[in-house]
Amino acid sequence: QPVEATDDAFWDQFWADTATSVQDVFALVPAAEIRAVREESPSNLATLCYKAVEKLVQGAESGCHTEKERQIVLNCCRLLTRILPYIFEDPDWRGFFWSTVPGAGRGGGDEDDENARPLAESLLLAVTDLLFCPDFTVQSHRRSTVDTAEDIHSIDSCEYIWEAGVGFAHSPQPNYIHDLNRTELLKLLLTCFSEAMYLPPSSDSSNTNPWVQFFCSTENRHALPLFTSLLNIVCAYDPVGYGIPYNHLLFSDYREPLVEEAAQVLIVTLDYDSSTSSSPTVDGTTTGTAMDDVDPPGPDNLFVNYLSRIHREEDFQFILKGVARLLSNPLVQTYLPNSAKKIQFHQELLVLFWKLCDFNKKFLFFVLKSSDVLDILVPILYFLNDARADQSRVGLMHIGVFILLLLSGERNFGVRLNKPYSVRVPMDIPVFTGTHADLLIIVFHKIITSGHQRLQPLFDCLLTIVVNVSPYLKSLSMVAANKLLHLLEAFSTTWFLFSAVQNHHLVFFLLEVFNNIIQYQFDGNSNLVYAVIRKRNVFHQLANLPTDSQSIQKGLQRKKKTPEPISRTNSQDGVSMEGSRAEPGTLKTSLVATPGIDKLTEKSQVSEDGTMRSLEPEASQLSPEGNPPAALSDGEPWSGEASHSRRDRRRLSSASSSAQWTPTPDWVMSWKSKLPLQTIMRLLQVLVPQVEKICIDKGLTDESEILKFLQHGTLVGLLPVPHPILIRKYQANSGTAMWFRTYMWGVIYLRNVDPPIWYDTDVKLFEIQRV
């Protein structure tokens, strides 16, 4: 039966109980009942929602001084966290929180202008007030009796930032009750923002999340202290605590759930498609015309705005150290098993790091200025290697590769990779003595040769990263040099080249790597030169690749007889590989496809003095620092799923795709004639006879003599004129913005299991599969 809104005795029972926990609320309010009320007595559900919001508003007004008020606020908070997903899943209800509730204001009459606020806005404002409520979520500054308690409206919340760090020097005394209360309120915020999960993915960037939009607008008077509190809580967190091993087994850490929740709220509020913004870009230059300057600088999303304006060195240092410390935490784990708390929110941290680099170019340059960037690189390579065979961690693989692609667009990244790699992170890779560049190449080789099938769309990205750093690599180890040649050998077999329309791109990328190293770093790279000489037949076969129909057919036949060199199914180390299969019953969420490498990147040429200039045909419409216009590089806007699924089908099932597409002699000729083999052929022509002569003269079978000869050799004046260095820089585009949205919400969905906020609701943004 419909219950009158005025029947307080009835409604109060929902939040009056003092002993409930959030788990109790989820157990006592089953999904079936919420849906039943929604269908059969919608007015009761509506009344329950606005009554609960009203209680939160009252709590925020009064400042929650009594234990009873705090309990009511927490119970309403838990109840709304439970109910909101069921409101979002029903399209008819989705607008409910954005409507105004007649007569729900305290005045009861319409002349009270507070009434004009939609329910959603009242809810968000109440929650932000409650997050800075003395003695409830922050330490009170005034030691006093209740009657002189601080007035919630007169307090300056910037003095109550939760943790020292960016823009705030004072670290408040930790208080676990405050941490627990903040965590509950942030859970509710995250649930409010999760409306995005109930809309199907679309490439239309105009559908901004109204909850996030309001929360990050000037209407929220706590936007700055909240942004700062969330960022500082995450970056200051040290799971090792006081350095006593195993201390997390002795006492509970109340900070960790708060840090996780803070990281999730932060990345959701920063979900912003920078490729479509015509407002001034991060470093203050506009992409619009002079007439647009009346706009406020930066995007209207204050969180994105604040993030893009951080500029002090010590703030950057604090953020980078914090993120690196947390990302390295799972690696530290493997030395002293279980000695420190193992954090689980590395995926959220990677998204946060991505946003920092994407929205704040000064931060990106700071990261690359010193070898601190390697503290980010090594954990990413560890995660990539660890997740390569696990179907449920495809998203983690993508974001790791995206970050490396973004970093590799900057010259400094390639230079930093020359630092010797001495810390031994436990990874199942060949032992080598060398640099971080060797580590990167060896891990990439491992992903390509023993990852699972669904990683094939990433091959272009992986090789683009290697191409971008190759002109700066001073000396590759023998192990890494052999891995690069093994990849070339595998990718240049005729059946691989002829079995899919874009497979030859991989050979082009690898040849570009060899050319860059030979032309720009010949002196220190005797290992690579020696490997090229040993595998010279691969280059000769490429130069003499047959182009007649009969040979093409024969090349494709060969696939059926011999196992692939880059085997997916029967790779030996795949069997025992750590984490090689997801745990049975693991849930995973689907992802939208990512744009192809041509859409993801834009070519820039490095000139003599090290500056870059863009090489896109539409260079005329690019802004000074090369932010692309909304249309993508080849002139077609992102056409959503259609073009993707086409490309993916082509990509993933190269065998079956031969039905729709067949290689022709003209097609093979069209790219074979462009293979950049001149430099390598000239090198072989000069060096092979010399090396053979040494072997004959000295009867040598020993590599070290040959390497010594190559080390002192020079090809000055013998090689073709050096080609200009081409860097493919990541460019923001709606395709990746959409990918990040589905990935991020998928992670949040799977990570919030206690309580299971969205479990078994009708999510539309992604599909949930059991592995």
Side-chain angles (χ1 to χ4, degrees):
Q1 272 72 52
V3 181
E4 281 304 313
T6 47
D7 183 354
D8 286 341
F10 176 80
W11 297 111
D12 284 347
Q13 63 187 359
F14 286 97
W15 31 80
D17 191 3
T18 49
T20 50
S21 66
V22 66
Q23 286 77 10
D24 295 339
V25 171
F26 272 66
L28 294 169
V29 185
E33 283 190 26
I34 304 175
R35 289 194 175 110
V37 173
R38 188 183 70 194
E39 305 311 321
E40 289 153 30
S41 49
S43 66
N44 282 356
L45 185 59
T47 307
L48 182 63
C49 287
Y50 84 70
K51 281 285 189 192
V53 172
E54 188 179 46
K55 287 288 174 204
L56 290 181
V57 171
Q58 283 166 8
E61 291 285 321
S62 72
C64 283
H65 294 303
T66 67
E67 199 43 54
K68 183 168 190 272
E69 282 179 290
R70 290 172 197 164
Q71 201 52 58
I72 287 177
V73 161
L74 289 173
N75 282 339
C76 289
C77 198
R78 294 160 185 162
L79 192 65
L80 285 166
T81 304
R82 179 60 169 146
I83 291 173
L84 274 165
Y86 297 92
I87 287 193
F88 295 150
E89 71 173 6
D90 184 337
D92 298 339
W93 273 86
R94 222 166 279 146
F96 168 70
F97 269 84
W98 292 97
S99 57
T100 49
V101 180
R106 282 165 307 291
D110 286 332
E111 67 284 353
D112 184 354
D113 66 357
E114 273 296 305
N115 278 346
R117 270 214 187 283
L119 201 54
E121 296 187 3
S122 307
L123 170 56
L124 290 173
L125 292 177
V127 172
T128 54
D129 275 342
L130 288 164
L131 285 168
F132 292 101
C133 193
D135 290 329
F136 179 52
T137 47
V138 291
Q139 210 67 48
S140 172
H141 290 185
R142 203 175 289 177
R143 299 273 36 98
S144 64
T145 53
V146 174
D147 49 81
T148 59
E150 292 153 284
D151 171 24
I152 192 95
H153 290 292
S154 62
I155 70 168
D156 174 6
S157 45
C158 286
E159 294 172 9
Y160 289 90
I161 288 170
W162 299 349
E163 188 56 75
V166 176
F168 192 69
H170 164 67
S171 188
Q173 211 30 60
N175 178 321
Y176 82 96
I177 299 286
H178 294 174
D179 278 3
L180 292 174
N181 294 342
R182 292 165 179 175
T183 308
E184 299 240 25
L185 287 160
L186 290 180
K187 255 194 199 359
L188 173 57
L189 269 183
L190 200 57
T191 310
C192 292
F193 299 156
S194 69
E195 186 179 24
M197 282 195 209
Y198 298 90
L199 301 168
S202 92
S203 56
D204 176 15
S205 54
S206 63
N207 58 9
T208 44
N209 183 329
W211 296 84
V212 173
Q213 199 176 6
F214 178 80
F215 180 77
C216 297
S217 73
T218 46
E219 295 266 359
N220 177 359
R221 72 187 179 101
H222 303 295
L224 181 60
L226 249 175
F227 169 75
T228 315
S229 294
L230 295 172
L231 185 62
N232 291 353
I233 275 277
V234 173
C235 296
Y237 178 57
D238 184 0
V240 178
Y242 301 104
I244 316 159
Y246 302 101
N247 62 357
H248 66 291
L249 302 177
L250 307 180
F251 51 82
S252 199
D253 175 0
Y254 295 101
R255 189 44 58 109
E256 192 191 15
L258 173 63
V259 174
E260 286 192 9
E261 218 62 51
Q264 292 175 2
V265 169
L266 204 48
I267 60 178
V268 169
T269 50
L270 295 170
D271 176 20
Y272 177 78
D273 182 356
S274 57
S275 66
T276 55
S277 68
S278 60
S279 59
T281 50
V282 167
D283 49 5
T285 48
T286 65
T287 41
T289 63
M291 294 306 292
D292 299 338
D293 283 350
V294 290
D295 284 346
D300 353 321
N301 177 325
L302 288 179
F303 277 39
V304 174
N305 205 334
Y306 296 145
L307 185 74
S308 68
R309 297 219 300 241
I310 298 173
H311 60 276
R312 294 188 344 196
E313 293 258 319
E314 57 268 41
D315 290 343
F316 287 156
Q317 189 60 40
F318 164 74
I319 293 172
L320 182 58
K321 278 269 178 282
V323 173
R325 178 191 328 111
L326 291 169
L327 285 177
S328 314
N329 162 273
L331 287 57
V332 176
Q333 279 304 307
T334 31
Y335 294 118
L336 261 184
N338 304 323
S339 63
K341 194 175 185 68
K342 187 164 182 177
I343 63 154
Q344 302 293 331
F345 56 100
H346 46 271
Q347 300 193 80
E348 292 94 318
L349 285 165
L350 289 172
V351 176
L352 179 60
F353 182 76
W354 167 269
K355 300 279 181 199
L356 279 155
C357 293
D358 195 19
F359 296 149
N360 191 324
K361 288 296 168 266
K362 289 195 180 97
F363 176 74
L364 177 61
F365 298 135
F366 176 84
V367 169
L368 293 166
K369 200 171 68 175
S370 72
S371 39
D372 289 350
V373 64
L374 303 175
D375 298 337
I376 299 285
L377 170 76
V378 172
I380 288 179
L381 292 175
Y382 170 85
F383 292 132
L384 290 179
N385 182 57
D386 189 49
R388 69 181 190 275
D390 183 344
Q391 284 276 359
S392 67
R393 289 195 282 171
V394 166
L396 172 63
M397 298 291 296
H398 274 76
I399 185 168
V401 172
F402 278 155
I403 289 175
L404 298 183
L405 179 65
L406 180 71
L407 295 174
S408 74
E410 307 298 332
R411 172 182 178 275
N412 265 356
F413 181 63
V415 175
R416 298 285 160 242
L417 289 178
N418 290 308
K419 187 175 175 183
Y421 172 67
S422 50
V423 285
R424 289 277 164 236
V425 171
M427 280 196 231
D428 51 338
I429 54 171
V431 176
F432 69 96
T433 305
T435 64
H436 284 76
D438 295 313
L439 176 68
L440 177 113
I441 288 168
I442 291 166
V443 169
F444 282 11
H445 172 268
K446 194 99 178 169
I447 294 169
I448 291 172
T449 54
S450 66
H452 57 77
Q453 192 76 35
R454 289 184 56 211
L455 297 178
Q456 275 191 349
L458 281 177
F459 289 2
D460 284 347
C461 265
L462 292 167
L463 293 185
T464 298
I465 294 165
V466 180
V467 173
N468 281 349
V469 301
S470 59
Y472 312 110
L473 304 183
K474 292 194 172 7
S475 64
L476 285 184
S477 68
M478 191 58 96
V479 176
N482 286 332
K483 296 297 182 199
L484 284 175
L485 279 145
H486 174 239
L487 288 179
L488 182 71
E489 208 174 354
F491 289 148
S492 56
T493 57
T494 46
W495 75 258
F496 184 79
L497 284 172
F498 298 157
S499 62
V501 73
Q502 74 305 318
N503 281 355
H504 62 278
H505 293 175
L506 301 172
V507 168
F508 276 80
F509 284 138
L510 284 163
L511 290 175
E512 202 176 326
V513 171
F514 296 132
N515 288 340
N516 281 343
I517 293 178
I518 291 166
Q519 288 280 19
Y520 291 99
Q521 299 289 351
F522 179 80
D523 289 350
N525 274 299
S526 49
N527 286 329
L528 184 81
V529 174
Y530 178 61
V532 167
I533 292 173
R534 279 188 47 217
K535 290 281 185 188
R536 55 190 179 274
N537 63 324
V538 178
F539 299 98
H540 291 303
Q541 279 166 2
L542 264 177
N544 301 316
L545 188 75
T547 56
D548 58 292
S549 309
Q550 205 175 352
S551 308
I552 293 176
Q553 282 317 309
K554 211 153 101 191
L556 288 169
Q557 292 307 307
R558 198 170 310 156
K559 173 177 184 182
K560 300 195 176 90
K561 299 191 195 84
T562 58
E564 334 174 10
I566 294 216
S567 151
R568 302 255 162 259
T569 41
N570 48 13
S571 81
Q572 280 313 297
D573 59 353
V575 186
S576 60
M577 199 180 338
E578 176 199 5
S580 140
R581 301 288 164 264
E583 291 294 304
T586 309
L587 290 181
K588 66 174 181 144
T589 53
S590 64
L591 291 161
V592 293
T594 53
I597 194 72
D598 49 331
K599 294 255 173 58
L600 269 179
T601 56
E602 145 196 88
K603 285 186 188 147
S604 305
Q605 191 171 320
V606 181
S607 48
E608 299 292 303
D609 58 356
T611 54
M612 295 200 188
R613 61 187 186 84
S614 163
L615 283 187
E616 289 301 315
E618 312 86 352
S620 55
Q621 22 165 322
L622 287 171
S623 66
E625 57 325 319
N627 279 14
L632 291 154
S633 56
D634 53 6
E636 71 171 74
W638 190 65
S639 54
E641 296 296 276
S643 63
H644 278 333
S645 48
R646 245 200 335 273
R647 193 184 69 241
D648 273 7
R649 275 204 303 275
R650 200 165 68 201
R651 242 296 148 69
L652 292 175
S653 52
S654 44
S656 62
S657 68
S658 46
Q660 309 128 29
W661 170 85
T662 42
T664 63
D666 289 349
W667 171 78
V668 178
M669 273 309 296
S670 71
W671 54 261
K672 180 190 166 181
S673 59
K674 298 196 188 95
L675 283 169
L677 287 164
Q678 303 80 338
T679 302
I680 294 172
M681 289 310 191
R682 186 80 188 107
L683 171 132
L684 292 172
Q685 194 183 349
V686 175
L687 293 179
V688 169
Q690 298 181 357
V691 169
E692 284 176 341
K693 186 172 184 309
I694 295 179
C695 293
I696 294 166
D697 290 357
K698 304 198 175 174
L700 274 188
T701 49
D702 178 21
E703 293 189 348
S704 59
E705 282 287 320
I706 300 170
L707 284 169
K708 203 173 295 173
F709 162 73
L710 291 173
Q711 265 158 15
H712 300 299
T714 171
L715 291 178
V716 173
L718 294 172
L719 292 177
V721 180
H723 56 285
I725 297 177
L726 276 188
I727 300 290
R728 293 170 181 80
K729 286 174 82 97
Y730 167 81
Q731 56 169 358
N733 58 78
S734 342
T736 40
M738 191 61 234
W739 184 88
F740 270 95
R741 183 171 307 154
T742 54
Y743 170 60
M744 168 184 81
W745 279 114
V747 168
I748 291 172
Y749 177 96
L750 294 174
R751 297 259 296 107
N752 281 274
V753 286
D754 182 29
I757 303 184
W758 299 281
Y759 188 68
D760 275 350
T761 59
D762 188 13
V763 172
K764 293 276 196 301
L765 184 62
F766 43 77
E767 290 165 24
I768 294 118
Q769 299 123 358
R770 277 196 184 278
V771 179

Short mmCIF file of all heavy atoms in Angstrom, two decimals, residues 624-644:
data_model
loop_
_atom_site.label_atom_id
_atom_site.label_comp_id
_atom_site.label_asym_id
_atom_site.label_seq_id
_atom_site.Cartn_x
_atom_site.Cartn_y
_atom_site.Cartn_z
N PRO A 624 48.97 24.58 -31.80
CA PRO A 624 50.43 24.65 -31.72
C PRO A 624 51.08 23.39 -31.17
O PRO A 624 52.10 22.96 -31.66
CB PRO A 624 50.66 25.83 -30.78
CG PRO A 624 49.44 26.66 -30.90
CD PRO A 624 48.31 25.75 -31.24
N GLU A 625 50.50 22.80 -30.12
CA GLU A 625 51.25 21.66 -29.61
C GLU A 625 50.73 20.37 -30.17
O GLU A 625 50.94 19.31 -29.61
CB GLU A 625 51.39 21.64 -28.09
CG GLU A 625 50.23 21.67 -27.16
CD GLU A 625 49.04 22.49 -27.59
OE1 GLU A 625 49.17 23.60 -28.11
OE2 GLU A 625 47.95 21.98 -27.39
N GLY A 626 50.03 20.43 -31.27
CA GLY A 626 49.68 19.20 -31.97
C GLY A 626 48.48 18.48 -31.41
O GLY A 626 48.33 17.30 -31.60
N ASN A 627 47.59 19.20 -30.71
CA ASN A 627 46.35 18.52 -30.29
C ASN A 627 45.48 18.38 -31.52
O ASN A 627 45.19 19.36 -32.17
CB ASN A 627 45.60 19.35 -29.26
CG ASN A 627 46.18 19.15 -27.91
OD1 ASN A 627 47.28 18.62 -27.80
ND2 ASN A 627 45.50 19.58 -26.88
N PRO A 628 45.06 17.16 -31.84
CA PRO A 628 44.33 16.99 -33.08
C PRO A 628 42.94 17.59 -32.99
O PRO A 628 42.40 17.74 -31.90
CB PRO A 628 44.23 15.47 -33.19
CG PRO A 628 44.35 15.00 -31.81
CD PRO A 628 45.21 15.95 -31.09
N PRO A 629 42.36 17.93 -34.14
CA PRO A 629 40.98 18.38 -34.13
C PRO A 629 40.05 17.21 -33.80
O PRO A 629 40.51 16.08 -33.69
CB PRO A 629 40.75 18.85 -35.56
CG PRO A 629 41.75 18.08 -36.37
CD PRO A 629 42.93 17.84 -35.48
N ALA A 630 38.77 17.49 -33.68
CA ALA A 630 37.86 16.42 -33.25
C ALA A 630 37.82 15.27 -34.26
O ALA A 630 37.66 14.13 -33.89
CB ALA A 630 36.47 16.99 -33.05
N ALA A 631 37.95 15.59 -35.55
CA ALA A 631 37.97 14.50 -36.53
C ALA A 631 39.31 13.79 -36.40
O ALA A 631 40.29 14.40 -36.03
CB ALA A 631 37.82 15.06 -37.92
N LEU A 632 39.34 12.49 -36.71
CA LEU A 632 40.58 11.76 -36.48
C LEU A 632 41.51 11.85 -37.67
O LEU A 632 41.14 12.31 -38.73
CB LEU A 632 40.23 10.31 -36.15
CG LEU A 632 39.55 10.29 -34.80
CD1 LEU A 632 38.65 9.12 -34.68
CD2 LEU A 632 40.56 10.33 -33.69
N SER A 633 42.71 11.30 -37.48
CA SER A 633 43.78 11.60 -38.41
C SER A 633 43.42 11.33 -39.86
O SER A 633 43.82 12.07 -40.73
CB SER A 633 45.00 10.78 -38.04
OG SER A 633 44.64 9.43 -38.01
N ASP A 634 42.67 10.26 -40.15
CA ASP A 634 42.46 10.05 -41.57
C ASP A 634 41.14 10.64 -42.02
O ASP A 634 40.55 10.18 -42.99
CB ASP A 634 42.56 8.58 -41.91
CG ASP A 634 41.65 7.77 -41.05
OD1 ASP A 634 40.88 8.38 -40.29
OD2 ASP A 634 41.69 6.55 -41.12
N GLY A 635 40.68 11.62 -41.28
CA GLY A 635 39.56 12.40 -41.77
C GLY A 635 38.21 11.79 -41.50
O GLY A 635 37.19 12.35 -41.84
N GLU A 636 38.17 10.58 -40.90
CA GLU A 636 36.83 10.07 -40.61
C GLU A 636 36.63 10.08 -39.12
O GLU A 636 37.52 9.68 -38.38
CB GLU A 636 36.67 8.66 -41.15
CG GLU A 636 37.46 7.65 -40.38
CD GLU A 636 37.13 6.24 -40.78
OE1 GLU A 636 37.56 5.85 -41.87
OE2 GLU A 636 36.46 5.53 -40.02
N PRO A 637 35.50 10.58 -38.64
CA PRO A 637 35.28 10.55 -37.20
C PRO A 637 35.11 9.10 -36.76
O PRO A 637 34.85 8.24 -37.59
CB PRO A 637 33.99 11.34 -37.00
CG PRO A 637 33.33 11.30 -38.33
CD PRO A 637 34.39 11.14 -39.37
N TRP A 638 35.25 8.88 -35.49
CA TRP A 638 35.17 7.51 -34.98
C TRP A 638 33.78 6.97 -35.23
O TRP A 638 32.80 7.53 -34.76
CB TRP A 638 35.44 7.54 -33.48
CG TRP A 638 35.60 6.19 -32.89
CD1 TRP A 638 36.59 5.32 -33.14
CD2 TRP A 638 34.77 5.60 -31.89
NE1 TRP A 638 36.44 4.19 -32.37
CE2 TRP A 638 35.32 4.34 -31.61
CE3 TRP A 638 33.61 5.97 -31.23
CZ2 TRP A 638 34.76 3.48 -30.68
CZ3 TRP A 638 33.07 5.11 -30.32
CH2 TRP A 638 33.63 3.89 -30.05
N SER A 639 33.67 5.88 -35.97
CA SER A 639 32.32 5.47 -36.34
C SER A 639 31.84 4.36 -35.43
O SER A 639 31.06 3.52 -35.80
CB SER A 639 32.30 5.01 -37.78
OG SER A 639 33.27 4.01 -37.94
N GLY A 640 32.39 4.33 -34.23
CA GLY A 640 31.82 3.43 -33.23
C GLY A 640 32.07 1.98 -33.54
O GLY A 640 33.04 1.60 -34.16
N GLU A 641 31.11 1.16 -33.10
CA GLU A 641 31.35 -0.28 -33.11
C GLU A 641 31.51 -0.83 -34.52
O GLU A 641 32.23 -1.77 -34.73
CB GLU A 641 30.16 -0.98 -32.45
CG GLU A 641 30.01 -0.61 -31.00
CD GLU A 641 31.20 -1.07 -30.18
OE1 GLU A 641 31.20 -2.22 -29.77
OE2 GLU A 641 32.14 -0.30 -29.98
N ALA A 642 30.81 -0.25 -35.49
CA ALA A 642 30.77 -0.88 -36.80
C ALA A 642 32.18 -1.11 -37.34
O ALA A 642 32.57 -2.23 -37.63
CB ALA A 642 29.99 -0.02 -37.76
N SER A 643 32.97 -0.02 -37.42
CA SER A 643 34.28 -0.19 -38.03
C SER A 643 35.15 -1.07 -37.15
O SER A 643 35.99 -1.80 -37.62
CB SER A 643 34.94 1.17 -38.19
OG SER A 643 35.12 1.73 -36.92
N HIS A 644 34.94 -0.99 -35.83
CA HIS A 644 35.77 -1.78 -34.94
C HIS A 644 35.55 -3.25 -35.11
O HIS A 644 36.46 -4.01 -35.22
CB HIS A 644 35.44 -1.47 -33.48
CG HIS A 644 36.14 -0.26 -33.07
ND1 HIS A 644 37.31 0.12 -33.67
CD2 HIS A 644 35.85 0.64 -32.15
CE1 HIS A 644 37.71 1.21 -33.13
NE2 HIS A 644 36.85 1.57 -32.21
#
